[in-house]
């Protein structure tokens, strides 16, 4: 599969009736966007706001972040969700680089995050560097949290596809090409390089902890194989409301940095042959089956080494360690990417499970470390839930609007796809 | 600027009292510098001064830890120090244990910077490296020439509140995890690490896996029909409105609530504070997480002796192992002293 990503670099975003992209400026009509979102009768109200890097603005409670894109040739946009079911990862996709759609709303109340566009909190989220089109979504009366999640998820994806459409006939500023061939050919292309795969763990811990693969709830899959370019092209979408710091938003999936870095070494130090996706179900039987299968697939593909990434923490630590030790026992070398819950003082053990075979670990940092977020002039969304969100505590929200909380509250802070330049050391 | 006041702890051997035959020597305090304090004090220059030395026999200390620690603490406090140092203990095991214990006590009680120094195989390292800064030294007094100035320099850095790192400053890592911003993304670091691992080149993991402790199960309850059974949960079930404000994640406390006369938890009476799962079903019927209804039925049918009248609860979501251990250590004692025979521990 060969994918061309045509990047259109966006310098600014503005509201206006004349929608489109011109000279690096994206113009969006908030009334049209609202109208489209409100077609779904599960959503009673939608406020559209812009948040730009450096502005004194706080977006919360953040549900998802999505990069606006359009399939110019081959396939569908967000297949099985917005578009029809169709295999993606081939042909040309145009990307509005530097822009994101951010959905916000108090879906569960304590499982959404914070994005600060300036100040110390901005250092902990990649989304402070983007031009964000924010949708604050209000549910229809009586809507249950999981129905609200589904409605908000669809609103975000539809908005990203709607805005992405403006990129269709724009000439990209740069084109990146990624290619992985069918397995036997790919192995033969670089016969002298080690065959490397990527074991991609998807958050599937239960209701409101879902991830979708081509529209399928990943709880209901057995581990399977994807071309890396499928992931880059919208095959995997976030549908979860979990602690903000280490959930993978749709943007993270679209721009998975492990896939990018493996492609950077493809044909040089290694032969990147494919992605194994697996889940993080809560029943022991499911954990055993999925980790057995991920290990089996590394063997079946003849891999020499893999990177394993986690999503979430606590319960999925067991899936991470099961995957790691079963794959190592197949003679396949592993590096795991995780984050830590070492307590606010950093003195507790960081993971809920461990094994000596996990001897090569990359950490996204300690999610319990406390940060003081100064007040912002503008709040996009609402602060009612700040004391209750995971990582917050009684008194987190101070009268002046500042927030003292664990970095767990910040969307993407300790991301386990290695998105951030954050680590932790032992002092 | 006036010199910092330093108190130094040493054993009977370095105190010039004698060897093993004098290891029962009780704590004593001398004004000024004794033994290795000379070299340390010299290295302090104009910045600090050893104003007193506490000497204690290694056997006495280790056989009378509580009393000895108390006596040493009193002596140290009287000297009103700004900084406390102990050793170096090199590979002397009991000396190392004493240096670690007194340093820990001084830090906790007097609240001043403390530092000690010893060899990596000294049992004092494993026992106290998480509590106090322990500098690395050679295994015998032959290393005093380098250890003494190193301890002096380190103590000064500590007193000034300068940033410290285990490798650069030569101390044993204290198990404290601290976030840092680095040059490369986690993804790049992971791929680089994988390439090294594939080539069998040395690499450094960013988190060394801990050794887990396993708890052996107790013997079965002899007669469950006569047993008092308690319910404990990490599923966050609390009386409606969460009166003690247990956090939705990283709980800093647990709650203790009465279920005397309660045979069913309802939407009106209880809810969950837990932030790690969809709360709809637990809020609609908290018995799903804390099975009071079923326990009452078993009690009525005589299948258990009785249900204990209070339950302990916390939120397991993102709560550190150290906090969890602390909560359990406390309420386990309460349950034991209340005569509880068995506990059903529910999670989520």
């Amino acid at each position: 599969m060969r994918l061309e990503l045509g990047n259109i670099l966006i310098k600014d975003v503005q509201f206006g009736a004349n929608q489109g992209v011109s000279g690096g400026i994206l113009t969006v009509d908030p009334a049209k966007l609202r109208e489209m979102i409100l077609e779904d009768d599960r959503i009673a109200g939608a406020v559209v706001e812009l948040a730009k890097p450096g502005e004194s603005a706080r977006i919360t409670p953040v549900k998802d972040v999505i990069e606006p894109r359009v399939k110019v040739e081959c396939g569908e946009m967000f297949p099985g969700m917005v578009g029809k079911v169709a295999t993606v990862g081939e042909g040309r996709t145009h990307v509005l680089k530097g822009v994101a759609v951010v959905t916000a709303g108090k879906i569960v109340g304590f499982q959404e995050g914070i994005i600060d566009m300036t100040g110390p909190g901005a250092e902990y989220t990649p989304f402070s560097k983007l031009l964000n089109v924010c949708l604050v979504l209000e549910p229809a009366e009586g809507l249950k949290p999981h129905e609200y999640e589904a409605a908000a998820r669809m609103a975000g994806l539809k908005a990203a596809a709607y805005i992405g459409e403006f990129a269709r006939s724009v000439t990209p500023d740069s084109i990146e090409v990624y290619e992985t061939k069918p397995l036997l050919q790919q192995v033969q292309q670089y016969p002298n390089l080690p065959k490397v795969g990527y074991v991609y763990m998807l958050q599937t811990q239960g209701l409101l902890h879902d991830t979708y693969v081509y529209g399928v709830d990943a709880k209901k899959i057995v581990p399977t194989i994807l071309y890396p370019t499928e992931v880059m092209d919208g095959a995997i979408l976030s549908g979860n409301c979990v602690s903000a710091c280490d959930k993978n938003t749709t943007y993270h999936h679209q721009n998975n940095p492990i896939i990018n870095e493996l492609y950077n070494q493809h044909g040089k130090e290694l032969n990147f042959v494919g992605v194994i996706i697996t889940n993080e179900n809560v029943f022991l039987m499911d954990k055993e089956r999925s980790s057995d299968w991920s290990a089996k697939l590394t063997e079946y593909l003849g891999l020499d080494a893999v990177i394993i990434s986690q999503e979430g923490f606590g319960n999925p630590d067991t899936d991470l360690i099961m995957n790691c030790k079963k794959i190592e026992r197949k003679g396949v070398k592993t590096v795991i990417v995780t984050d830590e819950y070492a307590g606010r003082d950093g003195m507790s053990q960081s993971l809920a499970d461990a094994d000596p075979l996990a001897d090569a670990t990359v950490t996204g940092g300690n999610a319990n470390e406390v940060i003081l977020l100064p007040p912002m002039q503008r709040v996009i969304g609402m602060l009612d839930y700040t004391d209750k969100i995971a990582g917050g505590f009684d008194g987190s929200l101070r009268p002046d609007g500042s927030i003292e909380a664990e970095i767990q509250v910040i969307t993407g802070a300790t991301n386990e796809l290695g998105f951030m330049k954050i680590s932790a050391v032992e002092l | 600027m006036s010199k910092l006041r330093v108190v130094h702890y040493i054993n009977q051997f370095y105190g010039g009292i004698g060897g093993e035959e004098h290891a029962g020597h009780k704590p004593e305090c001398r004004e000024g510098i004794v033994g290795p304090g000379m070299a340390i004090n010299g290295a302090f220059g104009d910045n600090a001064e050893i104003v007193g030395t506490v000497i204690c026999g290694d056997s006495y200390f280790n056989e009378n830890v509580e009393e000895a620690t108390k006596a040493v603490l009193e002596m140290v406090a009287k000297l009103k120090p700004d900084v406390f140092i102990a050793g170096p203990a090199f590979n002397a095991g009991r000396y190392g244990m004493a240096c670690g214990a007194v340093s820990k006590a001084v830090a906790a009680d007097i609240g001043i910077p403390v530092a000690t120094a010893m060899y990596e195989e000294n049992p004092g390292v494993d026992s106290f490296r998480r509590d106090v800064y322990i500098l690395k030294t050679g295994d015998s007094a032959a290393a005093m020439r380098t250890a003494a100035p190193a301890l002096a320099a380190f103590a000064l850095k500590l007193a000034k509140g300068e940033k410290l790192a285990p490798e650069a400053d030569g101390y044993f890592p204290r198990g404290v995890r601290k976030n840092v911003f680095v040059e490369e993304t986690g993804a790049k670091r992971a791929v680089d690490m994988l390439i090294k691992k594939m080539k069998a080149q040395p690499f450094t993991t960013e988190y060394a896996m801990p050794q887990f402790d396993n708890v052996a199960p107790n013997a079965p309850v002899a007669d469950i029909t006569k047993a008092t059974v308690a319910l404990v949960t990490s599923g966050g079930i609390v009386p409606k409105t969460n009166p003690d404000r247990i956090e939705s994640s990283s709980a800093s406390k647990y709650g203790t609530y009465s279920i005397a006369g309660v045979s069913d938890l309802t939407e009106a009476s209880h809810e969950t504070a837990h932030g790690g799962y969809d709360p709809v079903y637990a809020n609609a019927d908290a018995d799903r997480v804390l099975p009071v209804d079923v326990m009452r039925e078993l009690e009525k049918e005589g299948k258990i002796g009785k249900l204990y009248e209070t339950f302990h609860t916390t939120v397991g979501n993102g709560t550190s192992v150290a906090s969890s251990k602390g909560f359990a250590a406390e309420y386990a004692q309460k349950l034991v002293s209340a005569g509880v025979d068995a506990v059903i521990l529910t999670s989520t």
Side-chain angles (χ1 to χ4, degrees):
Chain A
M1 258 188 191
R2 185 175 183 277
L3 178 68
E4 289 179 14
L5 287 181
N7 292 317
I8 295 147
L9 308 181
I10 300 300
K11 294 184 290 230
D12 197 13
V13 56
Q14 61 188 26
F15 284 150
N18 198 7
Q19 300 195 104
V21 175
S22 173
I25 313 285
L26 168 68
T27 305
V28 176
D29 184 350
K32 289 237 171 76
L33 212 48
R34 251 184 104 245
E35 193 183 326
M36 183 195 68
I37 292 163
L38 292 176
E39 281 171 9
D40 187 339
D41 56 16
R42 295 173 295 184
I43 294 179
V47 177
V48 184
E49 284 195 60
L50 301 177
K52 302 180 186 180
E55 285 183 352
S56 180
R58 169 165 296 147
I59 318 169
T60 190
V62 172
K63 176 194 162 15
D64 199 9
V65 184
I66 308 134
E67 188 168 60
R69 294 178 170 196
V70 63
K71 281 302 297 177
V72 178
E73 54 183 41
C74 292
E76 291 274 338
M77 209 47 232
F78 304 129
M81 295 290 257
V82 173
K84 292 179 196 151
V85 172
T87 304
V88 290
E90 263 183 311
R92 169 82 75 94
T93 301
H94 282 180
V95 183
L96 290 175
K97 214 71 206 168
V99 181
V101 170
V102 177
T103 50
K106 45 185 176 185
I107 294 170
V108 189
F110 41 63
Q111 289 161 343
E112 286 89 41
I114 295 174
I115 296 171
D116 277 1
M117 299 306 290
T118 189
E123 300 298 312
Y124 288 87
T125 176
F127 307 119
S128 63
K129 285 105 192 154
L130 300 181
L131 299 158
N132 295 314
V133 180
C134 309
L135 314 175
V136 183
L137 305 165
E138 199 187 304
E141 213 180 301
L143 200 65
K144 295 217 167 68
H146 68 276
E147 296 164 340
Y148 182 15
E149 187 282 324
R153 170 169 21 102
M154 287 311 294
L157 294 173
K158 272 164 36 189
Y162 178 82
I163 294 170
E165 191 61 42
F166 304 145
R168 183 176 290 279
S169 47
V170 180
T171 308
D173 296 288
S174 69
I175 294 177
E176 297 164 17
V177 180
Y178 299 93
E179 184 173 22
T180 292
K181 296 177 189 294
L183 183 64
L184 299 184
Q185 291 170 38
Q186 186 55 57
V187 169
Q188 279 177 2
Q189 189 183 14
Y190 306 117
N192 299 319
L193 290 177
K195 297 178 288 297
V196 172
Y198 169 36
V199 177
Y200 196 173
M201 294 172 56
L202 307 176
Q203 173 58 256
T204 59
Q205 277 182 269
L207 194 61
L208 291 167
H209 291 54
D210 311 308
T211 302
Y212 293 88
V213 181
Y214 284 101
V216 177
D217 181 348
K219 271 195 294 293
K220 295 168 185 162
I221 65 164
V222 287
T224 188
I225 301 162
L226 299 186
Y227 282 99
T229 53
E230 294 180 77
V231 179
M232 302 176 107
D233 208 17
I236 298 175
L237 305 172
S238 170
N240 58 52
C241 299
V242 292
S243 283
C245 64
D246 55 11
K247 74 177 248 176
N248 295 329
T249 65
T250 295
Y251 188 97
H252 287 109
H253 291 299
Q254 291 170 301
N255 292 279
N256 186 313
I258 292 174
I259 291 177
N260 271 305
E261 292 296 340
L262 286 171
Y263 266 132
N264 283 343
Q265 296 296 338
H266 189 44
K268 297 176 193 160
E269 292 279 355
L270 53 85
N271 187 356
F272 185 21
V273 300
V275 177
I276 297 166
I277 55 166
T278 183
N279 50 19
E280 301 176 345
N281 289 11
V282 291
F283 288 102
L284 183 61
M285 191 166 74
D286 293 333
K287 289 176 186 295
E288 292 287 7
R289 183 192 309 108
S290 288
S291 54
D292 284 349
W293 275 57
S294 66
K296 180 188 72 179
L297 290 174
T298 64
E299 178 186 68
Y300 185 57
L301 293 174
L303 299 179
D304 297 300
V306 295
I307 289 177
I308 308 171
S309 69
Q310 186 186 2
E311 183 174 2
F313 62 95
N315 188 302
D317 292 349
T318 58
D319 301 275
L320 176 71
I321 296 298
M322 279 186 188
N323 281 320
C324 175
K325 64 187 183 193
K326 289 179 185 179
I327 292 169
E328 283 277 344
R329 283 182 195 140
K330 294 279 187 195
V332 179
K333 294 187 168 65
T334 65
V335 167
I336 63 173
V337 187
T338 182
D339 67 348
E340 303 180 44
Y341 285 75
R344 287 176 197 157
D345 60 5
M347 293 184 74
S348 184
Q349 97 204 349
S350 297
L351 296 175
D353 199 5
D355 193 273
L357 286 172
D359 64 355
T361 302
V362 167
T363 174
N366 176 18
N368 296 133
E369 206 164 285
V370 173
I371 189 170
L372 182 64
L373 304 173
M376 296 282 149
Q377 284 165 11
R378 189 159 61 108
V379 173
I380 300 171
M382 62 225 78
L383 291 171
D384 333 15
Y385 280 78
T386 304
D387 280 4
K388 286 190 184 171
I389 55 178
F393 37 81
D394 193 22
S396 270
L397 178 62
R398 296 170 172 186
D400 69 351
S402 63
I403 294 171
E404 186 188 12
E406 297 179 7
I407 60 168
Q408 193 182 165
V409 302
I410 302 174
T411 301
T414 60
N415 179 268
E416 294 162 291
L417 303 178
F419 215 92
M420 302 299 287
K421 293 179 176 178
I422 298 176
S423 181
V425 293
E426 190 176 333
L427 292 185
Chain B
M1 200 186 90
S2 61
K3 288 182 176 182
L4 293 170
R5 295 170 62 83
V6 180
V7 172
H8 187 203
Y9 175 91
I10 53 176
N11 70 357
Q12 84 287 349
F13 175 75
Y14 287 99
I17 293 162
E20 193 54 37
E21 69 281 11
H22 291 282
H25 191 81
K26 288 191 178 180
E28 65 158 308
C29 184
R30 294 193 197 164
E31 210 173 297
I33 304 161
V34 180
M38 192 65 79
I40 296 169
N41 202 57
F44 279 145
D46 292 333
N47 298 306
E49 183 178 19
I50 295 178
V51 294
T53 305
V54 177
I55 306 166
C56 179
D58 285 337
S59 297
Y60 181 80
F61 189 91
N62 283 282
E63 286 159 19
N64 307 277
V65 175
E66 228 168 275
E67 277 175 72
T69 305
K70 197 169 161 243
V72 170
L73 269 180
E74 279 171 16
M75 291 171 185
V76 175
K78 267 189 199 150
L79 291 162
K80 298 196 170 22
D82 302 306
V83 181
F84 177 83
I85 55 173
F90 305 108
N91 202 20
R94 288 172 309 158
Y95 187 20
M97 291 298 285
C99 285
V102 296
S103 299
K104 180 182 173 182
V106 168
D109 252 58
I110 307 179
I112 53 169
V114 302
T116 180
M118 56 192 89
Y119 180 61
E120 62 188 13
E121 287 177 19
N122 193 312
V125 173
D126 258 3
S127 302
F128 295 104
R129 73 174 173 89
R130 287 172 179 272
D131 304 305
V132 294
Y133 289 101
I134 304 176
L135 278 194
K136 294 179 180 178
T137 71
D139 64 351
S140 75
M144 186 66 89
R145 200 171 45 82
T146 51
L151 183 55
F154 185 77
L156 285 178
K157 257 188 134 173
L158 204 56
K160 287 181 194 156
E162 286 180 25
K163 272 195 174 172
L164 302 165
E167 269 181 38
D169 294 294
Y171 66 87
F172 295 100
R174 294 184 310 144
V176 177
R177 302 293 292 173
K178 176 80 193 141
N179 289 340
V180 286
F181 284 93
V182 292
E183 285 291 304
E184 304 285 1
T185 65
K188 174 81 164 55
R189 277 144 43 211
V191 172
D192 289 346
M193 196 184 288
L194 191 72
I195 290 169
K196 284 184 180 158
K197 191 170 171 178
M198 289 191 299
K199 289 181 172 174
Q201 290 171 351
F203 61 88
T204 308
T205 183
E206 294 182 5
Y207 179 67
M209 287 290 143
Q211 297 293 320
F212 272 40
D213 55 343
N214 286 305
V215 180
N218 272 340
V221 175
D223 185 357
I224 193 73
T225 64
K226 300 209 166 49
T228 301
V229 183
L231 289 175
V232 175
T233 187
S234 60
I237 300 303
V238 289
K240 198 81 182 175
T241 73
N242 189 10
D244 294 312
R245 305 257 188 139
I246 297 174
E247 296 89 338
S248 66
S249 176
S250 302
S252 68
K253 56 197 153 195
Y254 68 93
T256 302
Y257 306 105
S258 173
I259 38 171
V262 176
S263 58
D264 185 24
L265 308 181
T266 66
E267 198 165 5
S269 71
H270 289 77
E271 65 183 13
T272 182
H274 199 289
Y277 62 95
D278 179 4
V280 168
Y281 299 100
N283 286 344
D285 183 359
D287 292 298
R288 286 170 171 149
V289 179
L290 192 82
V292 173
D293 55 350
V294 176
M295 293 301 286
R296 287 295 180 209
E297 281 168 28
L298 292 172
E299 190 178 40
K300 211 179 277 175
E301 292 163 15
K303 288 189 175 154
I304 61 166
K306 73 176 199 284
L307 177 62
Y308 182 54
E309 64 197 11
T310 60
F311 73 94
H312 300 294
T313 179
T314 191
V315 163
N317 185 34
T319 300
S320 72
V321 174
S323 296
S324 304
K325 266 185 158 173
F327 302 158
E330 203 174 293
Y331 66 65
Q333 287 311 316
K334 291 183 189 170
L335 293 170
V336 168
S337 51
V340 170
D341 302 298
V343 174
I344 293 175
L345 191 60
T346 63
S347 61
T348 54

